[in-house]
Amino acid sequence: MTGERHFWLFKTEPSCFSFADLQARPDGTEHWDGVRNFQARNYLRDEIGVGDGVLVYHSNIPEPAVVGVAVVVKAGYPDFTARNPRNVHFDLKSTVDRPIWYMVDIRAERPFYRPVSLAELKGHPGLAGMVLLQRSRLSVQPVTPEQWSIIFRLGSGAE
DNA sequence: GCCAACGTTGGC
DNA sequence: GCCAACGTTGGC
């Protein structure tokens, strides 16, 4: 078995790829490709493990929000879109021998009963330390177990 | 659409 | 290796 379970928040623009799109994939599973930021890459390559929990966050919309939960089903491996010249995320510097960019596979577990908006996250005293609220641009970011349980409860309609 | 934040690039 | 210029992100 692997080590303890960790928690993450993945951002996506729903006009590009939404939680519903993830659910619509076979078995609700898709690779999380296209991340082109080194810090996020390091998490994908080195730290995110099978079984870890993922909060899926919709950005760049009128009311940005966490909209659902997913689980990691495959740990970091080279992002093949970096090697496709016709892909928008193509990167000439990434090779088979020396891949630069990585991705993981996630599977949709369930949509939230209600979206938990950015405004709500900002307003919750227990969430002041969230990376999202301090380095909003980081597209793959760690979430503490405490933050996870607060957001999970909010999204489950328990509060 | 604006613009602040911030990551990346490239000249030196 | 510094840092200015530039490009992108993403809330508003």
Side-chain angles (χ1 to χ4, degrees):
Chain A
M1 273 304 289
T2 51
E4 68 185 291
R5 187 177 189 220
H6 291 99
F7 301 103
W8 309 92
L9 182 146
F10 288 8
K11 289 191 303 178
T12 183
E13 298 188 24
S15 62
C16 178
F17 187 80
S18 69
F19 190 79
D21 293 330
L22 179 64
Q23 290 180 284
R25 290 292 193 268
D27 201 29
T29 300
E30 183 58 284
H31 49 264
W32 201 261
D33 63 71
V35 174
R36 296 293 181 269
N37 167 280
F38 286 104
Q39 191 175 358
R41 185 282 309 269
N42 292 346
Y43 289 132
L44 291 168
R45 186 187 61 187
D46 305 330
E47 298 195 38
I48 299 178
V50 172
D52 284 2
V54 176
L55 297 171
V56 177
Y57 175 88
H58 283 172
S59 67
N60 244 328
I61 51 174
E63 185 154 278
V66 180
V67 296
V69 172
V71 62
V72 176
V73 294
K74 183 174 179 180
Y77 62 105
D79 180 344
F80 51 72
T81 66
R83 301 192 56 253
N84 177 0
R86 281 184 291 277
N87 190 286
V88 288
H89 299 298
F90 175 66
D91 185 345
L92 188 60
K93 296 192 290 295
S94 191
T95 65
V96 172
D97 289 342
R98 303 188 64 177
I100 298 175
W101 306 112
Y102 283 73
M103 58 189 178
V104 300
D105 290 358
I106 67 173
R107 184 179 65 227
E109 287 206 307
R110 62 174 175 126
F112 273 174
Y113 174 76
R114 65 176 183 89
V116 180
S117 71
L118 177 61
E120 189 170 2
L121 298 174
K122 283 180 174 174
H124 195 295
L127 299 175
M130 278 191 80
V131 176
L132 185 71
L133 305 183
Q134 289 167 0
R135 268 189 265 170
S136 65
R137 289 182 52 180
L138 189 60
S139 63
V140 171
Q141 51 180 261
V143 170
T144 69
E146 294 76 19
Q147 292 162 353
W148 170 275
S149 73
I150 291 170
I151 296 166
F152 191 90
R153 270 187 281 113
L154 292 172
S156 300
E159 293 172 28

